[in-house]
Amino acid sequence: MTDRPVLSASRITHIYPTPRGEIQALREVSLTLRRGEFVCLVGPSGCGKTTLLRILSGLLPPTRGEIWLGDQPLRGPDQRIGIVFQKDSLLPWRTAIENVRLPLELGGWPGPEATQRAQALLEQVGLQGFEHAYPRELSGGMQQRVALARALAADPEILLLDEPFATLDAITRERLNEVLVELWERQRKTVLMVTHDVHEAAWLADRVLVMSPRPGTIVAEIQIPFPRPRGADRWSHPAFLQTVWAIRQALGNGGG
Ligand SMILES: Nc1ncnc2c1ncn2[C@@H]1O[C@H](COP(=O)(O)OP(=O)(O)O)[C@@H](O)[C@H]1O
Ligand SMILES: [Mg+2]
């Protein structure tokens, strides 16, 4: 890991105009992601996490503030940023492999190579044998594996994950977190993952950013000092539980 920033946000404020007046979702959020690090973002429901991820991905222009991708301002969606949302983001009329191929098709990849790469990615997320299944034929966990493979298709530098496994049962979720960490360790993407689960954040991240209630802003940054790999025995380490507690405290403080 080096200290070179791959993505940074400077004083992001976001206000949604609505028929009933303005809703301020974010207030002066600044953050920097350094190459290869795994950062988790936690915060109470409605504090603006999804808004922030949409802004960081270039899908939503912020009301105020700037996003930098490397040394250039981010002007819109970019192939260097892959995104996984909570659910329902696959195209229902495309099979698993066709969903993963989509970014490659848009990127102008020749057909056979796009298929080969999509196939390899589906294998990496443990979905060999399900290439030709439609999303409705896959479990929620399998659909999120496809979404992860699709986010990796264009070989992005950065992965933005918005509570990607939140709707899944605990065991499936733990397994998918393991898949994610394996991929990250192999490919060293820079990851920013939103989760509302403080244990998950402490287990996965190098660094946890804690947001206040709406309008969300970052109220704490907690380093996670544990070496990797981090096995299931983490539960027996008092230091791990202390870190979880520190994150929870920061959330509480933000809640006022
Ligand atoms: N498109 C929108 N129009 C108006 N208000 C919105 C819109 N999207 C989100 N909001 C509001 O902005 C706030 C932050 O929402 P969101 O970013 O989804 O929070 P989180 O992901 O942390 O739960 C909430 O109060 C939500 O109701
Ligand atoms: Mg959200």
Side-chain angles (χ1 to χ4, degrees):
M1 194 195 302
T2 70
D3 278 337
R4 188 156 95 71
V6 281
L7 186 68
S8 55
S10 169
R11 306 181 71 173
I12 300 297
T13 289
H14 195 75
I15 296 167
Y16 290 106
T18 78
R20 278 160 291 107
E22 295 185 333
I23 294 179
Q24 184 173 1
L26 297 172
R27 173 169 53 90
E28 302 262 320
V29 173
S30 298
L31 60 85
T32 297
L33 301 179
R34 291 180 285 273
R35 182 166 303 282
E37 68 176 342
F38 198 131
V39 178
C40 280
L41 181 69
V42 299
S45 179
C47 77
K49 302 180 296 296
T50 295
T51 302
L52 180 59
L53 247 68
R54 290 177 64 213
I55 290 172
L56 292 173
S57 69
L59 290 168
L60 177 69
T63 308
R64 286 193 291 279
E66 289 176 350
I67 310 292
W68 291 79
L69 181 57
D71 52 11
Q72 288 161 350
L74 181 70
R75 300 260 179 250
D78 192 293
Q79 291 239 326
R80 286 171 286 178
I81 303 175
I83 316 163
V84 181
F85 295 106
Q86 198 173 84
K87 57 176 176 156
D88 295 334
S89 65
L90 300 178
L91 298 177
W93 59 86
R94 282 186 161 235
T95 62
I97 197 163
E98 288 168 352
N99 267 285
V100 178
R101 270 178 53 112
L102 184 61
L104 301 172
E105 291 168 18
L106 296 173
W109 279 53
E113 283 158 43
T115 300
Q116 212 172 22
R117 176 159 175 79
Q119 177 78 41
L121 283 160
L122 284 171
E123 275 169 32
Q124 283 184 38
V125 297
L127 278 183
Q128 56 277 36
F130 294 92
E131 295 83 355
H132 304 294
Y134 286 90
R136 65 173 180 278
E137 299 168 329
L138 299 171
S139 69
M142 292 162 100
Q143 291 181 24
Q144 289 308 83
R145 287 175 191 251
V146 177
L148 186 57
R150 183 183 57 184
L152 291 166
D155 199 22
E157 289 173 49
I158 301 159
L159 267 185
L160 301 178
L161 309 169
D162 190 4
E163 307 201 54
F165 312 134
T167 63
L168 308 175
D169 64 85
I171 292 168
T172 306
R173 183 170 172 176
E174 181 129 344
R175 179 63 202 126
L176 282 183
N177 278 329
E178 283 164 8
V179 168
L180 178 62
V181 169
E182 282 162 24
L183 283 168
W184 172 75
E185 289 185 333
R186 215 173 319 131
Q187 304 191 3
R188 283 295 154 166
K189 306 290 181 198
T190 304
V191 176
L192 178 64
M193 174 166 160
V194 171
T195 169
H196 55 241
D197 183 329
V198 294
H199 288 100
E200 188 170 271
W203 174 41
L204 293 173
D206 297 316
R207 193 154 68 89
V208 176
L209 302 175
V210 181
M211 283 176 81
S212 70
R214 188 174 71 80
T217 195
I218 291 168
V219 289
E221 174 182 333
I222 292 161
Q223 300 287 334
I224 312 294
F226 306 114
R228 298 175 191 269
R230 297 172 181 168
D233 60 349
R234 63 187 177 278
W235 296 107
S236 62
H237 289 296
F240 179 78
L241 298 176
Q242 273 162 18
T243 303
V244 171
W245 178 244
I247 299 168
R248 211 176 268 295
Q249 286 282 98
L251 273 169
N253 291 341

